[in-house]
Amino acid sequence: MAKRAMLVGCNYLGSYCPLYGCINDVTNMRKILMEVYGFKKKNIVFMVDTDEKSLMPTGKNIVQQLGKSIRLQSLGMCFISISVATEAETGDHEDDGEDECIYPADLNTITDDTFRLLLANLNPGVAFTFVFDSCHSGGLLDSQELQVGVGKEGKIGSETASTRGGGVSESAERKIDWMIPRRISTKSLIRHLAQASGHEVKVGTIRSTIYQLFHEDASITVKMFVKNMSSRLEAEIPEEEWANSYNEVGVSALKHLKQMWDDRTIDNDKYFRSARLVNGPLDFSGHANAKPTGETLLPSTGTLVNGCQSDQTSADMPGDNGSYGALSNAVQTLVRKHAGKLSNKQLVNMTRAMMVEEGLDQRPCLYCRKDKVNAPFICSPL
C-alpha cells in the first residue's frame, strides 16, 4: 500500500497576524517522512503560502487534496502547521457562539464538520495520522477518545503543570518572550474578511461573508448555517420575531443575509443554491449552526496529535536556524533521536516533557482509539 501525506504550512506574511515557523515545520517534516519513514516525494502533497510553485493552501485545495488521499485509501498522515481561528457565531440561544476552525491562506475556514464528512469515507483498516501544530485543534477528530491530555474528567497522562519561571535557561526564557500564539483572534478574522469583501463585518456576519466570498467552496458548516438561516427568510418570518428564536448574533446574520435576499440584482436561486444542496450521510437537523448529529465516525478513522490542551496556545518560536512550531520541533527532534521507533503515546508524553524542559505552558495531546495508543507513530520506520 502506498504511503501518502499532505503537508500544509501558512505563515500569513503581510497579514495582520503573521507567523514565521510554519513553512520550516512542513519542510522539515517532508524530509523526515522521506528519510525516516520511506515516503516517496511524489506521494507527498506539499502546500505552503510562500512559494508560487507550490499548491496554494486555500480552503478548497486543502479539502480536495485530503479528500483525494482518503479516496485512495492509503496509509498516510496529514501534518498542518497553521493558525486556528474562531468563527464566533451560531445564532442559537443555547450555543456559546464559537466554533474552532483551521485558517487557510485565503480566509476560507475549515471546521471539524468538513473533516468528519471526509473521514467518513475512510475504511476502518486504513491508518491515518493527523498532526496539528495549532491552538485548540483537539476537536478536529471528535469521534476519538482523549488518551493523553486533560479532558473533562481531569488529568490524563503526564506533565500537565505550568512551568513558567521554573528554572529554565535564560535563552529559553528569551525565546518564550518572543513566541507568537498560533491562533487568529475573531477581531483579526473580521479585519481580514472586511478587507476581502469590501464591506463591514462583525460577529454575526462572519459566516455569511465567508459564504459570499466562496459559495460552493465554503465549508460544510458555513453552508449549513446559510441554508438554515435563508430558510427563515424564505418562510417570511417577520423581523420583529427573529429575537424569539435567535440571540443577537443570529439576528445579525439574518439581517446580513436579508440584504442579499432583497437585492434585486442578485438571483436568489443561484446565490443560495450551493447552500440549499447541502446534505449527506449525517443528520444536519438542529439549530442555526446545524451541527451534525446522529451518524458518527468509526473510532478507527484516525489518530490526532495536537499542539496543546484546549485552554492553552501553541507557540510559534524563534530559533537560531529559523522559527518553528514548538510541537513540530519536538516531534521532529524525537523522531530523529529515536529513528522513528516511537509509539503514539511515547511520542506525545515525550513532547510534553520537552515543553516542561523548555519552560513552555503548552501540553500536546493524543486522541485515538485505545488500541492505537501503543501503535507506531505514523507507521513503522525504515
Side-chain angles (χ1 to χ4, degrees):
M1 180 184 294
K3 293 183 284 191
R4 300 180 185 278
M6 185 176 83
L7 309 180
V8 180
C10 292
N11 275 353
Y12 314 102
L13 298 180
S15 73
Y16 298 118
C17 37
L19 297 174
Y20 301 95
C22 298
I23 309 306
N24 292 334
D25 292 345
V26 295
T27 301
N28 292 331
M29 195 68 205
R30 180 167 61 177
K31 293 178 182 177
I32 283 178
L33 289 176
M34 295 167 62
E35 296 169 4
V36 179
Y37 294 106
F39 282 66
K40 296 185 181 299
K41 188 174 182 180
K42 68 178 182 180
N43 291 332
I44 300 175
V45 178
F46 188 77
M47 305 171 70
V48 296
D49 66 349
T50 55
D51 185 356
E52 293 182 357
K53 296 179 181 178
S54 162
L55 185 62
M56 187 59 61
T58 63
K60 178 181 179 179
N61 286 342
I62 291 171
V63 170
Q64 284 186 340
Q65 291 301 318
L66 181 57
K68 180 179 179 180
S69 294
I70 289 170
R71 286 193 301 274
L72 291 170
Q73 301 293 329
S74 299
L75 172 74
M77 74 96 64
C78 176
F79 178 86
I80 296 184
S81 183
I82 202 168
S83 271
V84 166
T86 301
E87 290 180 352
E89 57 192 39
T90 60
D92 189 79
H93 278 303
E94 298 179 358
D95 218 302
D96 64 5
E98 296 191 352
D99 197 13
E100 278 74 30
C101 50
I102 68 168
Y103 189 81
D106 65 342
L107 313 177
N108 189 8
T109 55
I110 306 171
T111 65
D112 58 341
D113 298 337
T114 300
F115 287 99
R116 293 179 70 195
L117 288 177
L118 288 170
L119 286 167
N121 297 314
L122 189 66
N123 288 337
V126 179
F128 212 98
T129 301
F130 284 79
V131 178
F132 281 87
D133 193 350
S134 56
C135 305
H136 312 312
S137 53
L140 288 170
L141 297 185
D142 59 4
S143 68
Q144 304 298 51
E145 298 177 45
L146 176 65
Q147 303 294 350
V148 178
V150 175
K152 294 179 181 178
E153 303 302 321
K155 294 183 178 180
I156 303 172
S158 61
E159 306 293 2
T160 59
S162 171
T163 57
R164 188 70 188 270
V168 298
S169 68
E170 185 177 338
S171 62
E173 284 285 356
R174 284 199 299 270
K175 286 184 180 180
I176 293 171
D177 289 337
W178 285 96
M179 76 174 187
I180 303 172
R182 289 188 167 182
R183 185 181 191 279
I184 292 177
S185 67
T186 301
K187 182 178 180 180
S188 293
L189 176 58
I190 286 173
R191 290 179 68 187
H192 282 123
L193 289 172
Q195 186 178 55
S197 65
H199 64 70
E200 180 186 6
V201 179
K202 59 183 179 180
V203 173
T205 65
I206 293 174
R207 287 184 176 167
S208 53
T209 300
I210 291 174
Y211 183 78
Q212 180 184 0
L213 291 170
F214 300 104
H215 290 281
E216 67 272 11
D217 294 330
S219 74
I220 191 78
T221 306
V222 167
K223 285 188 280 193
M224 281 308 307
F225 181 81
V226 171
K227 179 179 180 177
N228 279 268
M229 287 298 197
S230 63
S231 69
R232 273 59 172 180
L233 298 176
E234 193 169 15
E236 298 183 347
I237 297 173
E239 189 169 340
E240 57 270 18
E241 294 182 14
W242 291 351
N244 295 333
S245 301
Y246 301 107
N247 58 21
E248 185 179 348
V249 171
V251 171
S252 294
L254 279 168
K255 287 181 178 179
H256 183 232
L257 287 171
K258 192 173 187 301
Q259 292 177 5
M260 306 298 166
W261 190 271
D262 293 340
D263 190 336
R264 294 184 178 181
T265 66
I266 294 176
D267 182 335
N268 282 341
D269 287 338
K270 183 177 180 181
Y271 187 86
F272 292 99
R273 182 179 301 149
S274 59
R276 288 170 173 167
L277 291 175
V278 173
N279 52 39
L282 303 178
D283 176 13
F284 286 99
S285 62
H287 55 69
N289 189 32
K291 297 289 284 186
T293 58
E295 186 178 334
T296 58
L297 293 177
L298 295 172
S300 58
T301 50
T303 296
L304 169 65
V305 176
N306 72 314
C308 62
Q309 294 162 187
S310 61
D311 59 345
Q312 300 169 344
T313 57
S314 293
D316 196 72
M317 302 287 294
D320 295 336
N321 296 314
S323 296
Y324 56 85
L327 172 67
S328 299
N329 179 66
V331 168
Q332 292 160 8
T333 299
L334 290 166
V335 167
R336 290 285 190 190
K337 180 179 180 180
H338 296 276
K341 298 177 181 179
L342 291 166
S343 70
N344 290 316
K345 183 177 181 180
Q346 288 173 328
L347 177 84
V348 174
N349 275 325
M350 287 180 182
T351 62
R352 292 166 76 88
M354 283 185 67
M355 299 304 164
V356 173
E357 294 171 4
E358 295 176 10
L360 292 169
D361 288 340
Q362 75 181 78
R363 299 292 178 268
C365 300
L366 171 66
Y367 295 80
C368 64
R369 202 172 71 179
K370 287 184 179 179
D371 64 343
K372 297 292 184 181
V373 172
N374 294 311
F377 174 64
I378 304 178
C379 64
S380 298
L382 293 173

